[in-house]
Amino acid sequence: MAFTDQALPAIRPVNHLVDAGDIIVRTHGGSALLGRALQSEVVAYEADEIDPATRTGWSVVVTGTATRVNPGALARYESLLMPWIGKEMGQVVRIRPEIVSGYRLAQAQGA
């Protein structure tokens, strides 16, 4: 995920789920990402899958506004989205897509 932190670009690896077209990510209370979500700022999220053997795959970038998920929905997302790391991740951020772009990596003709 890419966002602005102290007037500079910042990128953080996060896992996600898609819910009703929105991207949902979990984070911790002191994260720079959560600070951006509290201000409803624009962020970018990239997801991709590349097969190194065939050199094929896809990449999608979603640009949209990040906001903090309301406390009523927090428990639901905590049960659906497990953090990658063993750290308390008690905050949830929603990205409402405004721009979606992507591309597919295909094998060259005759390869």
Side-chain angles (χ1 to χ4, degrees):
M1 170 169 290
F3 55 96
T4 302
D5 184 28
Q6 298 181 25
L8 297 171
I11 298 175
R12 302 287 188 275
V14 296
N15 60 333
H16 74 279
L17 66 84
V18 177
D19 184 40
D22 294 338
I23 296 172
I24 307 297
V25 299
R26 287 181 63 182
T27 190
H28 57 91
S31 77
L33 170 60
L34 183 61
R36 304 283 55 94
L38 292 175
Q39 298 174 28
S40 297
E41 288 197 19
V42 173
V43 300
Y45 188 84
E46 179 181 355
D48 47 42
E49 183 174 351
I50 309 294
D51 182 332
T54 63
R55 298 181 179 172
T56 60
W58 54 266
S59 180
V60 173
V61 176
V62 172
T63 304
T65 303
T67 56
R68 188 175 183 175
V69 170
N70 70 48
L74 197 58
R76 177 173 173 261
Y77 291 128
E78 287 177 338
S79 70
L80 293 173
L81 184 58
M82 298 302 126
W84 288 342
I85 60 174
K87 184 175 186 178
E88 189 277 325
M89 303 290 258
Q91 303 297 321
V92 179
V93 173
R94 173 186 314 276
I95 303 167
R96 183 97 355 123
E98 295 168 19
I99 301 169
V100 179
S101 62
Y103 60 90
R104 181 169 298 280
L105 298 170
Q107 287 185 325
Q109 295 294 337

